[in-house]
Amino acid sequence: MVELITTVEHEIVERLVELEQEVFGHGGMNEWHLVPVIRHGQVFVIKEADLVIGCIQYMLDWNNPHLAYMIGVSVTRQNRGKGTGTKLLKKSIDMLFADKITEIELTVDSANVVAVKIYKKLGFEVTEFRQNEYGEGHDRLVMVLAKNKFIP
């Protein structure tokens, strides 16, 4: 089940931090990031038997309030390759497009072939390559999804 997190609950935040650390290590979000994003952005989770197994966060672009920027997506190791992340992406994107958002942007490691393929299947297009986006050797592809290009 995919749901939007609208209130800060310690247990949920703790689980999201765990998940972020599992997937991204030191680059994952912590409670200092997640609490403001829950309060001021959009955080969606997918659960299995009441346990959060995936999370995705978005924030609005101040220069274009119809653009949501996808901060990150994380899915537990044991749930990868089962369509969990795709289901979470589709549902969250659908909910954003139903609520005044007309474009979604993200960056992804160009070497993350699986993620790039999933994003392209949903209708995202590569619009830019950013060399050293997060420091030396951390290049990123910028991908954008227009509302009319979404393939649910």
Side-chain angles (χ1 to χ4, degrees), residues 59-147:
M59 64 184 191
L60 285 180
D61 184 314
W62 282 77
N63 297 316
N64 179 357
H66 297 286
L67 172 70
Y69 178 78
M70 184 188 303
I71 300 169
V73 179
S74 51
V75 174
T76 61
R77 281 184 192 93
Q78 59 268 36
N79 288 287
R80 290 182 204 150
K82 298 178 178 179
T84 303
T86 302
K87 181 178 179 180
L88 177 59
L89 282 162
K90 286 180 177 182
K91 183 66 176 171
S92 66
I93 290 168
D94 194 44
M95 291 171 77
L96 290 174
F97 283 157
D99 188 27
K100 301 176 192 152
I101 297 299
T102 59
E103 274 188 320
I104 298 172
E105 181 179 303
L106 60 87
T107 67
V108 61
D109 183 339
S110 57
N112 190 342
V113 178
V114 173
V116 171
K117 183 178 178 180
I118 291 168
Y119 296 139
K120 284 184 175 181
K121 278 180 133 177
L122 296 174
F124 281 87
E125 297 175 348
V126 176
T127 59
E128 188 179 346
F129 174 79
R130 293 183 183 157
Q131 190 170 3
N132 302 321
E133 177 77 350
Y134 295 120
E136 189 67 36
H138 296 281
D139 303 333
R140 307 293 283 183
L141 295 176
V142 177
M143 298 184 79
V144 175
L145 175 63
K147 185 175 184 176

Side-chain angles (χ1 to χ4, degrees), residues 16 45 50 52 55 57 60 97 109 111 115 134 137-138:
L16 297 180
V45 297
D50 288 329
V52 173
C55 176
Q57 313 92 20
L60 285 180
F97 283 157
D109 183 339
Y134 295 120
H138 296 281

